[in-house]
Structure formats: C-alpha cells, structure tokens
C-alpha cells in the first residue's frame, strides 16, 4: 500500500481481507483510508460505522473489566476503633502506606482511564460515521436509530435525541417507536437532572 497510498480499490480490498480475518482494528484503518478517498460510498461508510461499533463493544468490555480490577485492587480495609493507636494510624493517610498496594491501585486506575479514553474516542468516531451516512441517506429510518445509539454511547445526548426524533418522524408506526419514545424521555430527564446539579454562572 505504501507504493499506491491513494488507490481506493486496494484499500477496499485490504479492508475486506482484514474483516474476513476479524482484525477489526486493521479493517477500521483501511476503511478510514478508503472512505477518505471515496466519502460518498454509503456501503463502505456503513461498514466503517459497524466496525467502529464492534471496536467500541470490545473497549466497553475492557472498561468493565478494568473497573472490576480497580475495585478488587482497593478492597475496603478492616478499620480498628478510631480511639486506638492503630485506629489513629489508619485515619492518618501518611501513616500506613503500603507501597505495593498503592502501585497496584495506581496501575489499575491508569488502565481504567485508558480503557475509558479508547471507548469514548471510538464511540465518537462511530457517531461521526453514522452522521455522514445520515447526511447521505436522510430518509433511512433504521440509520437514525443507529445514529442515536452511537451518539448515546459517545455521551452526545443532543444528537441522540435529534436522531431518535427523526426516526419517529420517518417511521411513526414502527414497532420500535414506543421504545424510542421512552429513550427520548429518559435522555431528557437525564439532561434536566444534570442542568439542576450544575452550578450557575
């Protein structure tokens, strides 16, 4: 590929080869190059969005595992009575520091942060891919559902709600419509709760 970096057909073929081998990350890279060269290829954009979602699911699992590991690395200690000498030492953060435990907790916190960063970045890329697809095929109701889900995963509630409302407009009698309405209400309630907890000014 180094000899022909702008050969779209080669990137497309490479992406297909990686997909067949379930090398998702490599397939994403190839599809990114291909869609940069062929930005209106809806099939390829759809594949890219699907591959991003698959990666996000992997990172979501990694994040959940990192959360579990972080919790296990910092178990709740037995705390003696605060009036005893040992209790006073426990209440003094600098008195009883286990360097190994501290190092393990630090490593687990770093792993958790890295997993969260990967998940957020990939979910955001999936959302962007679905947005491009939605712009090219604005009357595809199913695509609006996919965009909404991707935006939710990326933490972009405003885009998610807009996509779900677009879905309801395109397919008001779809069997998923009642569920989508519930999701919209839930997202609106979350947004309202966040606005009341945020300091003003």
């Amino acid at each position: 590929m180094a000899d022909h970096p702008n050969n779209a057909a080669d990137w497309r073929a490479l992406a297909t080869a990686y997909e067949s081998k379930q090398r998702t990350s490599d397939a994403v890279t190839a599809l990114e190059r291909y869609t940069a060269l062929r930005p209106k290829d809806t099939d390829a954009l759809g594949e890219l969005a699907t591959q991003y979602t698959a990666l996000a699911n992997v990172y979501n699992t990694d994040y959940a595992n990192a959360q579990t590991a972080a919790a296990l690395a910092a178990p709740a200690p037995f705390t003696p009575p605060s009036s005893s000498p040992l209790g006073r030492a426990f209440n003094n953060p600098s008195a009883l520091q286990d360097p190994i435990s501290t190092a393990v907790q630090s490593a687990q916190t770093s792993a958790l942060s890295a997993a969260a960063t990967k998940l957020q970045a990939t979910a955001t890329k999936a959302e962007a891919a679905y947005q491009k697809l939605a712009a090219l095929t604005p009357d595809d109701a199913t695509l609006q559902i996919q965009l909404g889900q991707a935006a939710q995963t990326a933490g972009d509630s405003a885009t998610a709600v807009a996509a779900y409302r677009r879905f309801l407009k395109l397919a008001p009698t779809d069997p998923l419509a009642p569920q989508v309405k519930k999701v919209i209400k839930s997202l609106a309630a979350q947004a309202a709760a966040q606005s009341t907890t945020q300091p003003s000014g």
Side-chain angles (χ1 to χ4, degrees), residues 18-19 21-29 50-52 54-55:
Y18 282 140
E19 286 172 11
K21 295 177 182 177
Q22 297 185 332
R23 291 172 58 177
T24 307
S25 185
D26 291 326
V28 161
T29 299
T50 299
Q51 294 297 317
Y52 278 140
L55 264 188

Side-chain angles (χ1 to χ4, degrees), residues 1-2 13 18 26 30 33 48 60 63 80 101 110 140 143 152 164 173 182 186 188 197:
M1 298 302 296
Y18 282 140
D26 291 326
R33 293 298 297 267
L48 179 58
N60 191 40
Y63 179 70
S101 176
S110 296
D140 186 334
L143 189 54
Q152 262 190 278
Y164 289 141
T173 60
K182 288 181 182 179
S186 175
T197 57

Side-chain angles (χ1 to χ4, degrees), residues 9 13 44-45 47 70 78 84 100 110 122 134 139 144-145 148 157 177 186-187 191 201:
L45 278 171
E47 269 184 49
F78 163 73
S84 68
I100 296 176
S110 296
T122 306
D139 296 328
Q144 295 298 327
I145 285 277
S157 296
S186 175
L187 289 172

Side-chain angles (χ1 to χ4, degrees), residues 153-169:
T153 303
D156 184 357
S157 296
T159 297
V161 168
Y164 289 141
R165 285 180 176 157
R166 176 71 178 163
F167 165 79
L168 291 174
K169 185 176 181 180

Side-chain angles (χ1 to χ4, degrees), residues 54-106:
L55 264 188
N57 289 336
V58 170
Y59 294 145
N60 191 40
T61 300
D62 290 346
Y63 179 70
N65 291 339
Q67 277 185 311
T68 301
L72 292 174
F78 163 73
T79 306
S82 58
S83 59
S84 68
L86 191 56
R88 286 193 290 273
F90 263 87
N91 289 322
N92 181 350
S94 62
L96 292 176
Q97 291 266 335
D98 176 359
I100 296 176
S101 176
T102 301
V104 169
Q105 288 178 30
S106 177

